[in-house]
Amino acid sequence: MKRGTSRDIRTANRYEVLRQIIAASPTSRQELAAATGLSLATVATLVGELLDLRMITEVGFEDSAGGRPRGLVAVNASGGALIGVDIAETYVHVELFDLALNVLARAEEDVRPGESLPEQLVGHVAAAVGSVVMQAGIEGARVLGVGVSVPGQVNRDTGIAEYAPNWDWHDVPLLDLLTEHIAYPLYLDNPLRAVAVAELWFGAARGRGDAVVVTLGTGVGAGLVLGGGLHRGVSNSAGEWGHNTIVLDGRLCHCGNHGCVETYVGAPGIMLNLRELSPGSPLLHPEDQTATIAALAQGMREQDPVALKVVRDTARYLGAGIADLVNLFNPEVVVLSSWVAAALGEPLVAEVREAVSRHALPRPMAATEIVLSLIPSDPACLGAATFALEGALQSVGQRNAKRTTPARSRTAPPS
Amino acid sequence: MKRGTSRDIRTANRYEVLRQIIAASPTSRQELAAATGLSLATVATLVGELLDLRMITEVGFEDSAGGRPRGLVAVNASGGALIGVDIAETYVHVELFDLALNVLARAEEDVRPGESLPEQLVGHVAAAVGSVVMQAGIEGARVLGVGVSVPGQVNRDTGIAEYAPNWDWHDVPLLDLLTEHIAYPLYLDNPLRAVAVAELWFGAARGRGDAVVVTLGTGVGAGLVLGGGLHRGVSNSAGEWGHNTIVLDGRLCHCGNHGCVETYVGAPGIMLNLRELSPGSPLLHPEDQTATIAALAQGMREQDPVALKVVRDTARYLGAGIADLVNLFNPEVVVLSSWVAAALGEPLVAEVREAVSRHALPRPMAATEIVLSLIPSDPACLGAATFALEGALQSVGQRNAKRTTPARSRTAPPS
DNA sequence: AGGGGTTAGGAAAGGGGCTTTATAAAGTCC
DNA sequence: GGACTTTATAAAGCCCCTTTCCTAACCCCT
């Protein structure tokens, strides 16, 4: 059982301060102290650290009410670059961010069906990473790290992709393979947790103690933010909500079970909801999830009854599932994220809210907001980049160069 | 968002050391240091603190391999008493413990149907608490506190029972009512969390970072132990698993929803499972949950096919539900606790293990044990008493008498 | 232009925690 | 009886946060 040390407090505070600066750049030390609840002195030293690291810079002054003006600090956007890699079933998406987490460059590689060898995927990743670095015209030294999100179960310490259902991977030493092509520090995890971290740092979960980040994409997950940090579980596979049973003896899932959440509210599940309701619907683009979800979104805007019904049905399943999460965790906020949520947008969320409040207990429900993610682009990329950012900040706390007594010369002393 | 301070580390360590001493009394400082991962010096100071508090005593020495013998410490059983109160729908159960958490006295009061006024319940509690103190022949001063477990949603800070479905309570100021009759420090929470804390301190979850404690009684819950501590959620209602939907549009629950876990695996749910399978079964004692569950347990021992089938059906529901918890939390251990689990015992657990591994993802499942609670008596009482113990330990860390500059005399100084 | 008054920010001191190192205490073994 | 071991306590050091004090910087008013 890991014990907390006082250094962890420092790390958490460092994260907190940087988060706040990124969120509200430029800002003053005063504001930071108020927002984080830390003392002015502590904020000042943390700000000093970040200044030394060149992650932030002083950008001028702000009038105070009659006294010495407040010094303002802001993220030093050009102080470094972070790369986020989102490996999915059909594509590899890479984005390069500056330290303000603006996207400086993007690259996307299609993964053709059948391309399932780790080496093939790694090739795509390496190509795309090379591309974004070139596009952005960044010198390599300024890349602080590369975060990689890969579906399935990942051991982030050993860097092994223990199991990826899409490609039937078992214990692939992905980190080692990537290291051969990519010279930057690498951080590996899965999309569920990447998205949760993105929401925790930059999205709707920021500043919340307990939050659940529901990712709605091809797969489905529930990232758990507990006590201000990501809950990983004992083998880094917490949050695998997609294969929870929502309908006993329901639809067959590729995992082998029946009635998994994913089969009703994942993109393929939504397509099935549509097909069952209206088999010949023009909204349905077989073999193309993205197009079908987009068509549904468009249909909703046009008040198409079929689209509305499908979304309502989906929201009903989702609502029942999320109600379970609300009862269990009693979170401050449930964030709906990932591309399906982004596409279906606020109308979906409204239906979900409705459905959740039918199923959840009133008291926990009253304490919980259900909101749409605020993150505009691919949250898995952003989250992966955030892993790299966390990694860069972590190493600051590293014990700086262990002091050793100077080695005595092997030759006879001159005495 | 609450921030961790270095004092919290101290409190956690204090808990950890005392837990270990209670678990392995007598023990040496060396052993404690090894078990907790703390340095010898820290253990020594914490042990010193506990000795000063008279919660533990030195009980002799143990030979070391050729050096100074290890001093042994053990819980000072007579150093204080803790009282646990378990208020349930049909009874009030009170136990008085010594500091080794042995039961010194018990009292039980029946709550007749219709007795639903807070004052009536409080009367029962006061009577039973008085009784155990008398039985044990303890002087009042040595009672360190009284923990009270009451079903429903509880605000432990304000001491208000926000909602108790059994008696249709809404925002009853229970703590205030109890304070009028009971002079000891009071701690209020609900059975779900009481049982979880009992397992965390003294049961199968001890020393585990992440655990789920499933309580199977009339009601059903899932206490969440995350990062070595109880997860309470934002409004202290985390763990309300009993009203999660397990069968969409399933059995009607008293909460108004359909298909709640509780309606299938709570004691009344199990009775219904039995009735549906074999309406006229002699195992069924209508109106008496305890007798029916006992009859089922007996039936299983006699290989009664109906009993076996009912337990298997129940385990199937339970397995599906627990599989969801395993996927979500990725805990080290799932503990089945409370009286229904105790009654049905290992055969139930074996069936549950089987059912869970059919539903849960293989990787998280492989990392999770599913075990029966080791706690012999009423875990809610024990857990409630543990709240009192935690409370007593907490106040140690209290800033001891804020130093004030000595008040200057108002009269003119003698200078 | 030159003092108050006000606010920001840094430096120092203080309090709490944990660990490492040194010292004292209590045995065993030869 | 001395040397070696092992335990326990004391001392010193490091980390972290906060409080307090003081200087810096700016406003405004005279």
Side-chain angles (χ1 to χ4, degrees):
Chain A
M1 212 173 94
K2 209 181 55 192
R3 233 150 15 74
T5 135
S6 70
R7 233 187 190 102
D8 297 335
I9 297 177
R10 182 66 143 194
T11 302
N13 289 342
R14 206 193 331 267
Y15 285 0
E16 195 62 36
V17 167
L18 184 58
R19 266 196 274 256
Q20 189 64 31
I21 295 175
I22 293 175
S25 248
T27 184
S28 64
R29 292 171 181 78
Q30 318 291 317
E31 213 171 38
L32 289 169
T36 58
L38 293 165
S39 74
L40 221 51
T42 302
V43 168
T45 55
L46 286 170
V47 165
E49 264 181 40
L50 293 171
L51 284 169
D52 286 348
L53 285 173
R54 309 214 175 283
M55 295 185 110
I56 62 177
T57 46
E58 291 177 287
V59 293
F61 296 89
E62 180 185 49
D63 270 12
S64 64
R68 173 176 172 171
R70 286 180 279 273
L72 293 177
V73 294
V75 177
N76 177 19
S78 55
L82 301 163
I83 297 176
V85 178
D86 177 17
I87 304 178
E89 196 174 345
T90 59
Y91 62 85
V92 171
H93 197 168
V94 175
E95 295 182 345
L96 187 146
F97 301 85
D98 64 19
L99 282 187
L101 278 302
N102 301 308
V103 178
L104 295 188
R106 281 180 226 272
E108 187 167 346
E109 302 251 326
D110 287 328
V111 176
R112 281 179 298 281
E115 278 193 310
S116 67
L117 290 179
E119 289 75 12
Q120 294 174 312
L121 269 295
V122 167
H124 284 302
V125 172
V129 167
S131 164
V132 291
V133 172
M134 197 130 91
Q135 281 177 59
I138 296 276
E139 347 155 11
R142 284 174 45 215
V143 176
L144 297 178
V146 180
V148 179
S149 152
V150 61
Q153 252 110 68
V154 176
N155 184 326
R156 75 193 319 255
D157 298 320
T158 61
I160 290 175
E162 297 183 335
Y163 175 61
N166 299 342
W167 308 296
D168 197 37
W169 286 2
H170 295 270
D171 295 315
V172 171
L174 195 56
L175 196 61
D176 292 344
L177 295 175
L178 286 166
T179 306
E180 290 173 19
H181 296 84
I182 297 173
Y184 314 118
L186 284 161
Y187 304 89
L188 200 63
D189 213 318
N190 88 0
L192 189 168
R193 279 177 285 278
V195 174
V197 166
E199 295 291 345
L200 173 60
W201 273 77
F202 311 111
R206 197 180 63 227
R208 308 302 188 103
D210 298 316
V212 175
V213 178
V214 172
T215 58
L216 296 175
T218 307
V220 169
L224 308 178
V225 175
L226 303 172
L230 190 62
H231 173 70
R232 298 184 170 278
V234 66
S235 59
N236 195 37
S237 65
E240 292 294 346
W241 182 56
H243 298 284
N244 273 16
T245 306
I246 197 172
V247 178
L248 220 51
D249 301 317
R251 290 180 186 163
L252 179 64
C253 179
H254 63 78
C255 77
N257 273 313
H258 289 267
C260 296
V261 171
E262 199 164 295
T263 62
Y264 292 89
V265 306
I270 296 175
M271 287 173 70
L272 194 48
N273 296 346
L274 170 57
R275 186 170 309 169
E276 285 184 354
L277 181 70
S278 165
S281 169
L283 299 171
L284 188 66
H285 299 64
E287 313 297 315
D288 192 342
Q289 299 173 12
T290 320
T292 306
I293 299 295
L296 275 172
Q298 182 61 26
M300 273 198 303
R301 280 189 290 273
E302 294 163 0
Q303 301 288 315
D304 175 320
V306 171
L308 291 173
K309 182 73 165 65
V310 169
V311 171
R312 176 160 301 166
D313 288 349
T314 303
R316 188 165 168 258
Y317 290 115
L318 203 47
I322 292 178
D324 291 357
L325 299 177
V326 169
N327 287 347
L328 268 178
F329 294 104
N330 187 210
E332 288 179 66
V333 64
V334 175
V335 184
L336 300 183
S337 189
S338 270
W339 63 272
V340 172
L344 299 180
E346 200 52 55
L348 172 72
V349 178
E351 295 275 0
V352 167
R353 262 188 217 111
E354 232 275 293
V356 173
S357 50
R358 275 200 308 272
H359 284 90
L361 293 172
R363 298 271 164 166
M365 183 64 207
T368 303
E369 282 178 80
I370 299 177
V371 302
L372 195 61
S373 168
L374 304 167
I375 296 172
S377 63
D378 180 344
C381 270
L382 179 58
T386 308
F387 285 131
L389 179 56
E390 285 190 345
L393 284 182
Q394 195 95 48
S395 58
V396 177
Q398 228 68 288
R399 150 178 264 68
N400 27 348
K402 192 171 205 149
R403 236 182 349 210
T404 61
T405 41
R408 241 174 308 198
S409 155
R410 295 282 174 71
T411 60
S415 72
Chain B
M1 213 173 94
K2 209 181 56 191
R3 174 185 326 295
T5 135
S6 70
R7 242 195 182 93
D8 298 334
I9 298 177
R10 182 65 146 192
T11 301
N13 288 342
R14 206 194 332 265
Y15 285 1
E16 196 61 36
V17 167
L18 184 57
R19 264 196 274 258
Q20 190 64 32
I21 295 175
I22 292 174
S25 246
T27 184
S28 64
R29 292 170 181 77
Q30 319 291 317
E31 213 170 39
L32 290 170
T36 58
L38 293 165
S39 76
L40 217 52
T42 302
V43 168
T45 55
L46 286 170
V47 165
E49 264 182 39
L50 294 171
L51 284 168
D52 287 348
L53 287 172
R54 310 215 174 281
M55 296 185 107
I56 62 176
T57 45
E58 292 178 287
V59 295
F61 297 90
E62 180 185 49
D63 271 12
S64 65
R68 174 174 172 172
R70 287 181 278 273
L72 294 177
V73 295
V75 177
N76 177 19
S78 54
L82 301 163
I83 297 177
V85 178
D86 176 17
I87 303 178
E89 195 174 347
T90 59
Y91 61 84
V92 172
H93 196 168
V94 175
E95 295 182 345
L96 186 147
F97 301 84
D98 64 19
L99 282 187
L101 277 302
N102 300 308
V103 178
L104 296 187
R106 281 180 226 272
E108 187 168 345
E109 303 250 326
D110 287 329
V111 177
R112 281 179 298 280
E115 278 193 308
S116 66
L117 290 179
E119 289 75 11
Q120 294 174 312
L121 270 294
V122 167
H124 284 303
V125 171
V129 167
S131 164
V132 290
V133 172
M134 197 130 91
Q135 280 176 59
I138 298 273
E139 350 156 8
R142 283 171 48 211
V143 176
L144 297 178
V146 179
V148 178
S149 152
V150 62
Q153 252 110 68
V154 177
N155 185 324
R156 75 193 320 256
D157 298 319
T158 62
I160 289 175
E162 297 183 335
Y163 175 61
N166 299 342
W167 308 295
D168 197 37
W169 286 1
H170 296 270
D171 295 315
V172 171
L174 195 57
L175 196 62
D176 293 344
L177 294 175
L178 287 166
T179 306
E180 290 174 18
H181 296 85
I182 298 173
Y184 315 119
L186 283 162
Y187 304 89
L188 200 63
D189 213 317
N190 88 0
L192 191 167
R193 279 178 285 278
V195 173
V197 166
E199 294 291 345
L200 174 60
W201 274 77
F202 312 110
R206 198 181 62 227
R208 308 302 188 103
D210 298 317
V212 175
V213 178
V214 172
T215 57
L216 297 175
T218 306
V220 170
L224 308 178
V225 175
L226 303 171
L230 190 62
H231 173 70
R232 298 184 171 279
V234 67
S235 60
N236 194 38
S237 65
E240 293 293 345
W241 182 55
H243 298 284
N244 273 16
T245 306
I246 197 172
V247 178
L248 219 53
D249 301 318
R251 290 179 186 165
L252 179 64
C253 179
H254 63 77
C255 76
N257 273 312
H258 288 265
C260 296
V261 170
E262 199 163 296
T263 62
Y264 292 88
V265 307
I270 296 176
M271 287 173 71
L272 193 49
N273 296 346
L274 170 57
R275 186 170 309 169
E276 285 184 355
L277 181 71
S278 165
S281 169
L283 298 171
L284 188 65
H285 299 62
E287 313 297 316
D288 191 341
Q289 298 173 13
T290 320
T292 307
I293 299 296
L296 275 172
Q298 181 61 26
M300 273 198 303
R301 279 190 290 274
E302 293 164 0
Q303 302 288 314
D304 176 321
V306 172
L308 291 174
K309 182 72 165 63
V310 168
V311 170
R312 176 159 302 165
D313 288 349
T314 304
R316 188 164 168 259
Y317 290 115
L318 204 45
I322 291 178
D324 291 357
L325 299 177
V326 169
N327 287 349
L328 269 179
F329 295 103
N330 187 210
E332 288 179 65
V333 63
V334 175
V335 185
L336 300 184
S337 190
S338 270
W339 64 271
V340 172
L344 298 179
E346 200 51 56
L348 172 72
V349 178
E351 295 276 1
V352 168
R353 262 189 217 111
E354 232 274 294
V356 173
S357 49
R358 274 201 309 273
H359 284 91
L361 293 172
R363 297 270 164 167
M365 183 64 208
T368 303
E369 282 178 81
I370 299 177
V371 302
L372 194 62
S373 167
L374 304 166
I375 295 173
S377 63
D378 180 344
C381 270
L382 179 58
T386 307
F387 285 130
L389 179 55
E390 285 190 345
L393 284 181
Q394 194 95 48
S395 57
V396 177
Q398 227 68 289
R399 150 179 261 66
N400 27 348
K402 193 171 204 144
R403 238 185 346 214
T404 59
T405 42
R408 241 173 308 197
S409 155
R410 297 280 173 71
T411 60
S415 73

